[in-house]
Amino acid sequence: MSKKIVAIDMDDTICHLVPKAIHYHNASYPDLQLSIDQVSSFDLSTIWHPDCNEEIFFGRPKLYEELEIFDEHTIEEVRRISEEHDVIIVTAARPSAVPEKWNWLQQHMPFIPFENFFVAKRKYLLEFDLLIDDGPHNLLAARDAGKRTIGIPRPWNLPLQNDFLMKDSWDGMGELVNRVLSGPGFPVKG
């Protein structure tokens, strides 16, 4: 019997990107202080400083190596899931960020092999049984492709939180993954 494939996003799913980017934005533009609660969509251009842009906000050298782990349970739960399932890390990234993301992953989760590290914006094109992600576009596309999902609740996916199974901590994520993968149908909430 082959293992199920569990695809896990990086940014704001196993580590905190937006809060770190906001931190640097606020340091660079003290006259316009942002908070994570203001991020209601993936289009941040509507809230950041007029002198800021995507390259400044997300392109700071070494930004992706500085990111904090999502919570104290993340590493052990991803390890636990990887013992029972084939875990792939799937992240969207600008080319300059790919080495930084790989370095972060190797520092915090060295049990994830290189061949299980994928860079893809259209994640639904990959073969997997379950996606764990914060991006509303990724959750919708995966569901539309007939794949199971677990969402990480964030301000930018608030409109979808009633339509998807959501988990706000990695505590017990391995048990939830097993329940979702072994259960019938596609759970909406739980």
Side-chain angles (χ1 to χ4, degrees):
M1 182 174 171
S2 64
K3 290 183 172 185
K4 299 281 188 181
I5 300 171
V6 177
I8 302 175
D9 174 49
M10 281 187 76
D11 304 328
D12 297 300
T13 297
I14 60 171
C15 56
H16 292 288
L17 171 60
V18 171
K20 184 61 82 172
I22 286 173
H23 165 79
Y24 284 121
H25 172 278
N26 292 347
S28 297
Y29 307 106
D31 58 320
L32 180 60
Q33 298 293 289
L34 301 179
S35 73
I36 195 164
D37 295 328
Q38 293 173 274
V39 183
S40 59
S41 78
F42 270 21
D43 180 10
L44 294 149
S45 66
T46 61
I47 64 169
W48 63 41
H49 193 277
D51 295 336
C52 190
N53 59 46
E54 188 169 331
E55 186 59 37
I56 292 170
F57 198 79
F58 290 117
R60 179 185 179 87
K62 304 293 184 188
L63 172 67
Y64 294 89
E65 292 182 32
E66 296 179 25
L67 303 181
E68 296 176 17
I69 295 167
F70 191 86
D71 66 24
E72 67 273 17
H73 308 285
T74 307
I75 294 171
E76 194 49 44
E77 289 294 325
V78 171
R79 182 188 325 272
R80 190 171 293 136
I81 296 166
S82 71
E83 289 169 357
E84 294 185 53
H85 307 288
D86 199 0
V87 168
I88 60 173
I89 302 299
V90 185
T91 186
R94 58 179 22 90
S96 62
V98 173
E100 293 180 21
K101 288 185 171 208
W102 174 245
N103 290 342
W104 185 94
L105 195 59
Q106 286 307 284
Q107 178 184 353
H108 298 285
M109 298 182 184
F111 53 89
I112 301 291
F114 176 73
E115 58 269 15
N116 288 30
F117 176 67
F118 292 82
V119 178
K121 187 168 182 136
R122 297 186 311 161
K123 299 173 184 180
Y124 64 91
L125 295 174
L126 297 173
E127 185 64 38
F128 57 80
D129 299 290
L130 170 69
L131 174 67
I132 303 173
D133 205 309
D134 67 294
H137 58 290
N138 293 324
L139 295 169
L140 286 167
R143 183 179 68 186
D144 290 348
K147 299 172 188 285
R148 297 171 191 238
T149 61
I150 297 174
I152 302 295
R154 305 302 258 168
W156 48 89
N157 64 31
L158 186 61
L160 299 179
Q161 289 179 13
N162 288 328
D163 298 330
F164 285 87
L165 176 63
M166 293 280 173
K167 182 132 176 60
D168 63 359
S169 167
W170 277 84
D171 187 23
M173 186 68 84
E175 291 174 22
L176 180 59
V177 163
N178 288 337
R179 199 166 69 239
V180 169
L181 287 173
S182 66
F186 297 86
V188 175
K189 292 192 71 149

